[in-house]
Amino acid sequence: MSSGIALLQNKADEHSLKHEIQSMVGSIIFPTMPEAIDYNKFLKKLHKYFEVRGIGSPTIEQLGLLILGDEWANKSEELLMKIKNMWYDPGKIETLKTKNVAPLKNPKEGTTWSKKRTLRTENVSAGRSRAYDTEQYVMDK
């Protein structure tokens, strides 16, 4: 029974990964330089898909069929080499390295734009100093 559940789970994972990979193809395969973050996510999903299927070293046909669908055989040799390099030599694909920019936040009441406002109390020890003890200077006549 547990092997049947695992088989069904693998099929569900395979189907969802295939759908996610095919939805990312437009932003990864066709631009000359894809975004580095998207490219890494795509590669992780690609490796996970073939891991679920039990394929350690997929062929060009398997990669093309997954990524481009039934029309993979009609695509250019250059595009098929790019797909092959994604699996076997992912460092050959040049990517755009962009930084994530933090969204602007509206300041909350009681804060400033750059720092949170904190209440500071200073320890005043001068009140306990002997220099401020006036009783020692008073003389009785």
Side-chain angles (χ1 to χ4, degrees):
M1 184 163 177
S2 63
S3 65
I5 293 172
L7 178 69
L8 289 175
Q9 184 63 44
N10 280 348
K11 282 291 185 187
D13 290 345
E14 179 183 334
H15 180 70
S16 66
L17 285 168
K18 183 177 182 179
H19 176 70
E20 289 173 10
I21 288 169
Q22 289 176 346
S23 67
M24 294 176 76
V25 167
S27 63
I28 301 298
I29 299 295
F30 299 114
T32 55
M33 292 180 69
E35 296 266 345
I37 295 170
D38 295 337
Y39 180 66
N40 287 335
K41 287 179 186 177
F42 182 78
L43 287 179
K44 285 180 184 177
K45 289 182 189 303
L46 198 63
H47 282 272
K48 181 73 175 167
Y49 176 81
F50 285 110
E51 180 184 316
V52 166
R53 293 204 55 202
I55 300 172
S57 181
T59 63
I60 297 294
E61 293 84 18
Q62 290 171 326
L63 287 167
L65 189 60
L66 171 65
I67 294 171
L68 301 172
D70 294 332
E71 298 295 320
W72 74 270
N74 301 334
K75 300 299 180 183
S76 68
E77 189 67 30
E78 182 180 322
L79 184 60
L80 293 176
M81 287 308 294
K82 183 176 182 180
I83 291 171
K84 180 182 176 184
N85 285 337
M86 281 184 166
W87 182 268
Y88 292 105
D89 194 8
K92 275 190 176 178
I93 308 293
E94 292 184 31
T95 58
L96 292 173
K97 294 173 178 63
T98 56
K99 292 183 179 180
N100 288 341
V101 178
L104 294 175
K105 296 180 181 177
N106 290 332
K108 294 180 181 176
E109 187 177 336
T111 63
T112 61
W113 285 98
S114 61
K115 296 180 184 177
K116 288 186 176 181
R117 189 179 302 178
T118 58
L119 297 174
R120 292 184 188 165
T121 58
E122 295 185 19
N123 187 4
V124 181
S125 60
R128 290 182 235 136
S129 173
R130 290 195 65 206
Y132 291 98
D133 186 12
T134 56
E135 293 295 322
Q136 68 179 351
Y137 301 113
V138 175
M139 287 194 229
D140 289 331
K141 288 190 183 184

